[in-house]
Amino acid sequence: MTDTIETLRAQMEAAAAAMDFETASRLRDRITLLRGGAEPGAAQAADTAGLTRQQPGAMGLGTSRQRVEPPAGWTPPAKPDLMVKRKR
């Protein structure tokens, strides 16, 4: 089912006029995905409400953040000697 953006927009406006705002918001999000370059099938199957369950192992404190990898060949700087007095 390949709906064009114009067809989805007409359906969204009809849903909003019928005060079916949940359907209208789903259609709005599909239109946004299509304008962003998503495939029509992927835009239809996407969960735009964000209600999908997290995958096991992805739960926990800070696990949703990306891990920062240092550039290739980078070595950490030497730690300062705490027994030497700094000059200001």
Side-chain angles (χ1 to χ4, degrees):
M1 183 165 125
T2 56
D3 294 325
T4 62
I5 293 176
E6 292 81 22
T7 306
L8 291 173
R9 187 171 157 267
Q11 291 174 3
M12 178 186 69
E13 289 176 357
M19 299 184 92
D20 185 8
F21 299 117
E22 291 178 8
T23 303
S25 67
R26 269 189 248 113
L27 290 168
R28 177 204 61 210
D29 294 340
R30 274 182 62 191
I31 291 170
T32 303
L33 288 171
L34 288 173
R35 285 184 179 159
E39 296 292 324
Q44 185 174 4
D47 176 32
T48 55
L51 296 177
T52 56
R53 295 183 65 96
Q54 288 183 342
Q55 298 299 319
M59 297 180 203
L61 182 62
T63 56
S64 62
R65 294 184 6 197
Q66 294 180 353
R67 295 186 180 189
V68 178
E69 297 289 330
W74 181 81
T75 56
K79 293 187 177 185
D81 187 5
L82 298 177
M83 299 301 289
V84 176
K85 192 173 191 180
R86 287 191 310 185
K87 296 180 182 178
R88 289 187 186 206

